[in-house]
Amino acid sequence: MKRRNRIRVGIVLIACVLALAAGIGIGSVMISPGDIFRILGNKLFDLPLPETLEASKVSIVWSIRLPRCLSAFLAGAALSASGTVMQSVLRNSLASSYTLGVSSGASLGAALVIVTGFALPMAGVLTLPLSGFLFGLGTVLAVIAFAARMDRGLENQTIILTGMVFSLFVNACLTLVSVLHQNYMQQLIRWQMGSFSGNGWEEVLILAAVLAAGVLYLCCFTRQMDMMTFGEEAARTMGVNTKRTKMCLIVAASLLTGTAVCFTGTVGFIDLIAPHVTRRVFGPGHRYVLPVSALFGGAFMVLADTAARTVLAPAELPVGAVTALIGAPFFAWVYFKGRKR
């Protein structure tokens, strides 16, 4: 079984490379895989470029498409890893960071930064992700605190219900911000639907740092997540401090979601699809499910973004609309399949 899973991981890695190559190569100017690797060789290892390769293609690959595709991959990976954790902690295949209001809180924080132009001293470009993380974390902490007042055991259904209520409230606040700042309304509405347009190397570096730290931290809890899938009582009998573990996992997932939302806008369903598909292929063990979900989600997001900018070119669809067109039927399929069981 381990050997089979390693082969499957290799296939997923190859799929990720192919997805990135497709995202970089497909567009108004088509660029062959050979040219992509030549340009990367030149930029990374100072290898010579052939004279027949146009300078415009070099600029398109290195300055526009590569950072956009990498930011899409990293954001998709962060959302998918976060969704894996939420589904495990809440023992619900339809759970995600959106369920607990993390995405709504992060969106509100980012919207306030956009309309006010506020910048933290010494933070600069980090103001947006920090505000998203803090607002997302503040929302989920409020959800947990409120749920704990209603149910000291912090049962999963209580957390989910409280999260849905808080998410609706925060979304109402976000709508109010849009109405009160009508000169930013179009920008905020488009941003809320998700887009990777304009993302550069700064965003890639921040996303990569947060994703690496978040996933490495979460990998330390794979054993506890495996135990918690059998129920909280069973996990407690095996020595897991379920309340503390829940808090650690939810905070880490909030960091991943909050950072991704700030740089991409609200992109739904990716954190539902990737963990579910990965579990179907690799089984329930989080040693494989967590990292592979991140890889699958990253590749899926790159392909969704490629479709968003090419299907109606030169117009560009919001990437959130593309993921919703795929994710909504998937959500319905998972729900009705669960009811039949």
Side-chain angles (χ1 to χ4, degrees), residues 83-93 156 221-236 238 240 242 245-246 249 279 283-287 289:
T84 302
V85 171
M86 292 301 181
Q87 290 179 16
S88 172
V89 169
L90 301 178
R91 295 181 61 217
N92 188 326
S93 59
N156 295 332
F221 289 87
T222 54
R223 182 171 167 272
Q224 290 89 328
M225 285 191 279
D226 287 342
M227 293 178 182
M228 290 176 69
T229 56
F230 295 105
E232 293 188 30
E233 286 295 332
R236 278 193 285 265
M238 290 184 277
V240 178
T242 55
T245 302
K246 272 185 181 181
L249 291 173
R279 284 193 182 94
H286 287 87
R287 179 187 173 188
V289 169

Side-chain angles (χ1 to χ4, degrees), residues 142-177:
V143 168
I144 293 171
F146 194 82
R149 292 294 297 271
M150 295 192 298
D151 180 2
R152 290 187 179 181
L154 279 177
E155 293 297 327
N156 295 332
Q157 297 303 323
T158 307
I159 296 175
I160 291 173
L161 179 62
T162 308
M164 292 174 68
V165 172
F166 270 74
S167 183
L168 290 171
F169 174 76
V170 175
N171 279 327
C173 294
L174 186 58
T175 302
L176 185 62
V177 170

